[in-house]
Amino acid sequence: MLESVIYKTAATATGGRDGTASFADSDATFGLAPPKEFGGNGNGMNPEQLFAAGYAACFLSALKHVAGEQKIAVPADATADVAVAIGPRVGGGFGLDVAIDVSLPGMDPAQAEALIETAHQVCPYSNATRGNIDITPRLKG
């Protein structure tokens, strides 16, 4: 449960995986298409891509937030790579697997790993998925 709301947005999808999506607070509208692995043509975004992009941006922002609180400079070329896989779950339905690789060039590895772990505790995506998806963020070598 949230203590307070800082920002709220909404999105609308039409046609499911083979349609369009738009945002309530933006003029952005884009086509959706199932990936080829789902029998689609792959000529559009899909939910897993959007989740990966959102998680990557959110995780790196959380890392910068905790670094700022600790007065630690984050390299300008820092990146968060999030890979999202979808498939049948044991016991039925579908599930996701997520891998997060963080690059912090030039940073002391021990300090970088501590920041990544703290960011994982702060990131809203990590908090929303904790207990549902096995995620272990790691420092990319």
Side-chain angles (χ1 to χ4, degrees):
M1 175 182 259
L2 297 177
E3 185 176 304
S4 65
V5 174
I6 298 171
Y7 170 71
K8 182 178 180 178
T9 189
T12 300
T14 304
R17 286 182 173 272
D18 201 11
T20 61
S22 60
F23 302 98
D25 56 355
S26 169
D27 291 334
T29 298
F30 52 91
L32 300 170
K36 292 177 182 177
E37 294 82 355
F38 278 12
N41 63 19
N43 292 331
M45 301 299 295
N46 64 59
E48 293 73 36
Q49 290 170 319
L50 296 170
F51 185 79
Y55 204 154
C58 193
F59 194 88
L60 193 54
S61 292
L63 189 136
K64 288 180 175 184
H65 172 78
V66 297
E69 286 183 334
Q70 297 177 27
K71 309 281 191 266
I72 298 170
V74 173
D77 54 351
T79 60
D81 298 331
V82 174
V84 175
I86 185 171
R89 285 175 49 121
V90 174
F94 285 86
L96 301 174
D97 279 340
V98 174
I100 303 172
D101 290 317
V102 180
S103 175
L104 296 166
M107 196 172 227
D108 172 71
Q111 185 180 51
E113 288 176 4
L115 277 178
I116 290 167
E117 179 53 38
T118 304
H120 188 46
Q121 299 308 311
V122 170
C123 176
Y125 275 66
S126 294
N127 287 330
T129 58
R130 189 167 284 112
N132 297 311
I133 300 173
D134 186 21
I135 303 168
T136 305
R138 60 186 180 224
L139 181 61
K140 193 159 108 177

